[in-house]
Amino acid sequence: MIAKNLEKLLKQNKIKYQVVEHRKVYTAFDSAETQDLKLSEVAKAVLLKGKNLFLAVLPAGNNCDFKALSKLAGEKLSIAKEKDITAKLKTKIGLIPPFGSLFKIPVLLDRKLINNKKINLPAGSYTESVIMSVKDYQK
C-alpha cells in the first residue's frame, strides 16, 4: 500500500502513475536491483538539514554532493538525523516519498533524473514504488 498522503497528492493533481510491488527493500540501490532497473532510473530521497530542511532527490547510485547542494540551497547543508526524519516527516529512513510538497519543503532534483522519460520513486513503503513520467513528477 503506498502512503495515503502520497496517493491523495497524486490523485488531486491528476498524475498518472503505476504502483509496482517488489520484495522488501531498504535502499534505492536494492530497489533498482530488485526491479531489474538501471540505477539512473530509480530515485532516492535524502533529507538535508541546514537552517531549513531540503529534500534532495538523486539517482539511486549517486551520493550527495554537499558542496553543490549547499550552494544551490544558499546555506550549508548536511544529512539530517533519523530523529529529524521521524519528527518532521513522520516516517522512517528508507520510506521518504520524494515529494517535497507533502512536507512543505523544497526539493533539489538531480539533473541526471530529468533526462529519463520515466522515473521510479519510493512510495512510502518498503515493498512498493511508483512509476510516472518525469514531466508529471516535476509538476
Side-chain angles (χ1 to χ4, degrees):
M1 199 68 185
I2 71 171
K4 290 278 181 235
N5 58 349
L6 173 57
E7 188 175 27
K8 185 179 174 188
L9 174 78
L10 295 175
K11 285 183 176 168
Q12 277 177 343
N13 290 287
K14 296 176 176 55
I15 302 291
K16 287 184 190 149
Y17 66 96
Q18 175 189 352
V19 177
V20 181
E21 291 191 33
H22 48 74
R23 74 174 171 82
K24 191 178 235 185
V25 295
Y26 298 100
T27 67
F29 185 90
D30 290 342
S31 181
E33 202 172 76
T34 296
Q35 296 176 71
D36 202 21
L37 296 169
K38 293 177 190 159
L39 293 175
S40 60
E41 297 172 322
V42 177
K44 66 179 173 185
V46 181
L47 186 64
L48 303 174
K49 189 176 183 181
K51 285 178 276 191
N52 301 291
L53 292 175
F54 291 87
L55 208 52
V57 180
L58 317 162
N62 287 39
N63 291 322
C64 288
D65 177 344
F66 291 106
K67 193 174 179 182
L69 289 164
S70 295
K71 190 175 177 183
L72 265 177
E75 59 185 86
K76 188 168 171 40
L77 297 174
S78 61
I79 199 155
K81 305 242 183 301
E82 190 171 351
K83 66 179 177 137
D84 295 314
I85 294 169
T86 52
K88 307 271 192 308
L89 306 186
K90 308 282 186 259
T91 191
K92 297 176 185 164
I93 288 179
L95 290 181
I96 303 171
F99 295 85
S101 56
L102 287 175
F103 312 108
K104 294 179 178 48
I105 56 177
V107 171
L108 304 171
L109 179 62
D110 191 303
R111 210 176 270 130
K112 291 180 200 93
L113 291 170
I114 297 170
N115 299 331
N116 298 333
K117 277 191 171 52
K118 293 199 177 285
I119 189 168
N120 184 294
L121 304 154
S125 158
Y126 291 120
T127 57
E128 289 176 326
S129 298
V130 293
I131 297 173
M132 66 182 62
S133 75
V134 171
K135 281 187 171 64
D136 281 343
Y137 174 70
Q138 288 178 295
K139 265 196 243 174

